[in-house]
Amino acid sequence: MTDTIRLLSVNVSELAPLRPDLPKKRTGIHKRPTGERVAVRTLGMDGDRVGNTKHHGGADQALYLYSAEDYAWWSAQLGIDCQPGLFGENLTLDRWWDSPRIGDRLVFGNITLELTAPRIPCSTLATRMGMPTFVKRFAEARRPGAYVRVLSEGTIATGAPGTVNRSTHTNATLATANAVWFETPRNQDVMRTLLHAPLAVRYRAALTHWLDGHV
């Protein structure tokens, strides 16, 4: 099954202090739209940086994707105008296709991206939003966005049309991967099903750890 979406914004950031009063805590979350064509590579985009490489970045989390539909929802919830890049995503899509799956592939010209994991919120996002409880709020919203790996490199620009090639991992949805992370207790059958999908290495390691009895 195929679907089409459109790229509304390409967002990048150099490292910068998370807050003015935290000059040593440097992050790449302060993404801003760029009107330029940007090279997309296996480890990310030219002109973009990752601050905490222990938990972010790498080949399996090379880029982070979010959607304008999600931002419209958040704008209504928060009473602010949520613009592309606010949550630190590299690519802002116009929308998500129906039930995105781990392993779905998104093609922009000669670039192929593969969904690998939902975004698990952290304190950096809460600080960015100026809301101490935002980690919990983001988790409860069930609008995680998606990390992707870059299967083929190229260049990309705002306005590019994209084609979705659906994965055959029919039960390994992004929503399922997001939900099981926050469940207590976690469903072991769901975790085993997810492990058959092409998950990001960090997410896969967490599931394996929990299935080994370390919950």
Side-chain angles (χ1 to χ4, degrees), residues 31 35 42 55-56 68 79-80 95-96 130 133 138 175 181-182 190 213:
K31 300 285 190 284
T42 303
H55 299 292
H56 303 284
I80 62 175
R95 63 181 182 85
W96 291 105
T133 62
F138 187 89
W181 189 277
F182 300 103
V190 169

Side-chain angles (χ1 to χ4, degrees), residues 23 37 167 171 215:
R37 179 167 288 276
S167 170
N171 294 320
V215 179

Side-chain angles (χ1 to χ4, degrees), residues 147-161:
Y147 287 115
V148 298
R149 62 172 59 91
V150 179
L151 298 182
S152 60
E153 300 179 342
T155 61
I156 201 167
T158 296

